[in-house]
Amino acid sequence: MKNGIRGVLAAAGMVAALGAQAETLKLGVVGGMTGPGAPWGLAIDGGVKIAVDEINQAGGLAVGDKKYTVEVLTYDDHYKAADAVTATNRLIDQDEVNYIIGPIGSASVMAMKPITERNKVIMLSNSYSTEVLDANTKYMFRVLPTQYEYNRQLIGWLKQERPELKRLAILSPNDATGWSTQKIQTAAYKDAGYDVAETKFFERSQNDFRTLLTSILAKNVDFIELDTVPPGPAGIVIRQAREMGFKGQFTKFGGNNVAETVKSAGADNAQGTLVYLSADPSSEPYQKLSQSYAKIHSNSMDDFVFYFYDATHLLFKAIQEAGTVDDTDAVRARIEANNSFDGIQGAIVWGGKDVYGVNHQIATPAYLGVIEGGKAKVINKFDAR
């Protein structure tokens, strides 16, 4: 009889163990994994997967009395709103996810947001469009600082340290991202006393910029601001402008992947370009994430990995504090309750209510870099504020 009882208990234990192993938390990732914006989309995927691997290697995510193995489901939106909507509906209706991380493109985010808000799905995303956040936003959090948060600091440095630069042109993508960022850039430069001589838009599929550059160079500008031009095309612009005889300054105070830009421009052409950086390439955290990223993707790591790595750990912390993976209202409340979070490279601060009507905008350290010898070198740091 005792053996029988032991057998029943052993069987029950095996069932319980199997049940514990079956607990899975699914995270959805949406972003442009192919095409010109791929370095940014792959950065989302890489940052999430590095954080998830750390949790899984440690035995899973402890939530209440359960342990969850975290699974990542990644969909390519090709930087297009329609594909982002398809991915979102699939993640919610078929994959039954409660949490989506990404995308980056404004058009995709704005198309996804009504769906995620209606379904109470938390979206940790980015968009440089000022229209993405408003007082009615509940479940979306912007986990990257936008140009509105850091641009005036970068332009302030430029004004003080490079007084010879007075007249510029701004080049931006012809979509919701570019329309918003160019507006912000133009206002910031004009407010700082610069002469914005030309503003141009280009199609994301474009790889010949000579016609646009002919118009820009005819305005005798001292420098060209590359705004949110994707890294590869930004390099092409730099190379073609140099081939056309432009000897002035390039600035890129939108998203960057210096390695991809240099690959397209050539190291000599890119020399001296001033860039916004999300992280210090010489830092220990950068080296750590680079090594982990190389195990996931073969391209050069984009700095945006930092944001989505931190965002994933921030989400895990909120889920643990809420004690649930299903009640997204409880998880949302925990994210909102944590005014600051210790990120991999310093304090992360939530804010934005004065500007957007809701404290769902993140602020992190920002860096100003210069391309030297084909690599980025930090020349200034701006703390989160």
Side-chain angles (χ1 to χ4, degrees):
M1 184 67 177
K2 289 182 179 179
N3 289 337
I5 293 174
R6 289 196 189 100
V8 172
L9 291 175
M14 290 177 64
V15 171
L18 289 172
Q21 292 173 359
E23 296 287 356
T24 301
L25 169 62
K26 295 179 181 180
L27 299 184
V29 169
V30 177
M33 305 298 156
T34 55
W40 297 335
L42 294 173
I44 303 173
D45 184 66
V48 173
K49 285 179 177 175
I50 294 169
V52 166
D53 186 61
E54 290 175 353
I55 289 295
N56 286 340
Q57 290 293 326
L61 184 67
V63 183
D65 59 355
K66 295 181 179 180
K67 276 285 187 78
Y68 289 83
T69 298
V70 185
E71 179 184 355
V72 180
L73 304 173
T74 301
Y75 292 104
D76 186 355
D77 73 348
H78 306 96
Y79 227 86
K80 296 178 180 178
D83 291 344
V85 168
T86 299
T88 304
N89 286 328
R90 180 170 178 177
L91 283 167
I92 295 172
D93 297 335
Q94 296 182 33
D95 301 322
E96 298 182 335
V97 304
N98 291 321
Y99 309 98
I100 295 176
I101 303 177
I104 282 182
S106 295
S108 291
V109 175
M110 288 190 284
M112 290 170 62
K113 185 183 175 186
I115 304 170
T116 55
E117 290 284 308
R118 182 172 64 249
N119 287 278
K120 297 185 176 182
V121 169
I122 289 177
M123 181 163 64
L124 304 178
S125 186
N126 179 55
S127 161
Y128 277 10
S129 173
T130 55
E131 289 77 26
V132 163
L133 290 179
D134 57 39
N136 296 317
T137 302
K138 292 185 177 181
Y139 299 95
M140 177 192 162
F141 295 82
R142 183 153 53 190
V143 296
L144 277 75
T146 73
Q147 290 165 315
Y148 189 90
E149 277 68 55
Y150 63 73
N151 222 24
R152 294 179 190 277
Q153 294 168 296
L154 300 179
I155 293 173
W157 181 94
L158 192 70
K159 186 76 173 178
Q160 180 174 332
E161 301 297 329
R162 302 289 174 87
E164 71 278 9
L165 302 176
K166 303 179 185 299
R167 185 175 171 86
L168 76 147
I170 303 174
L171 181 62
S172 311
N174 188 25
D175 58 20
T177 298
W179 304 331
S180 179
T181 58
Q182 189 175 104
K183 182 179 178 180
I184 293 170
Q185 292 272 28
T186 301
Y189 275 111
K190 285 184 175 180
D191 287 349
Y194 285 95
D195 177 10
V196 180
E198 183 79 291
T199 56
K200 289 289 188 181
F201 293 103
F202 75 98
E203 302 305 322
R204 286 194 180 271
S205 60
Q206 194 168 335
N207 56 26
D208 187 341
F209 299 92
R210 292 178 180 87
T211 300
L212 288 175
L213 286 168
T214 297
S215 176
I216 288 172
L217 299 186
K219 299 296 176 66
N220 296 315
V221 297
D222 301 316
F223 67 111
I224 298 173
E225 168 60 64
L226 295 172
D227 193 24
T228 47
V229 180
I236 296 174
V237 172
I238 293 172
R239 174 169 52 81
Q240 292 179 351
R242 295 299 188 212
E243 290 170 351
M244 294 172 69
F246 180 65
K247 300 185 183 303
Q249 177 72 55
F250 284 101
T251 56
K252 190 168 189 335
F253 293 162
N256 278 292
N257 183 309
V258 170
E260 295 294 328
T261 298
V262 170
K263 187 186 298 183
S264 296
D268 290 343
N269 291 328
Q271 182 77 6
T273 299
L274 293 168
V275 295
Y276 158 72
L277 299 171
S278 312
D280 182 351
S282 67
S283 68
E284 183 178 340
Y286 199 100
Q287 303 310 314
K288 172 189 172 184
L289 288 190
S290 292
Q291 291 173 9
S292 298
Y293 183 86
K295 299 175 184 177
I296 302 170
H297 295 299
S298 60
N299 70 309
S300 298
M301 185 185 79
D302 188 276
D303 297 354
F304 281 174
V305 167
F306 279 80
Y307 294 130
F308 291 99
Y309 171 86
D310 278 339
T312 306
H313 276 298
L314 183 153
L315 174 63
F316 290 154
K317 182 174 184 287
I319 289 172
Q320 288 179 311
E321 290 177 348
T324 176
V325 300
D326 299 315
D327 186 349
T328 54
D329 281 307
V331 175
R332 172 176 63 88
R334 291 313 308 163
I335 296 176
E336 292 174 337
N338 290 321
N339 294 327
S340 64
F341 177 80
D342 291 330
I344 191 173
Q345 59 180 348
I348 292 173
V349 181
W350 286 109
K353 189 168 185 178
D354 292 344
V355 179
Y356 309 108
V358 64
N359 282 329
H360 285 209
Q361 172 62 58
I362 215 163
T364 70
Y367 300 83
L368 174 64
V370 62
I371 298 178
E372 292 184 353
K375 297 183 179 180
K377 174 185 174 182
V378 170
I379 54 179
N380 210 339
K381 177 184 178 181
F382 306 101
D383 290 326
R385 64 176 187 176

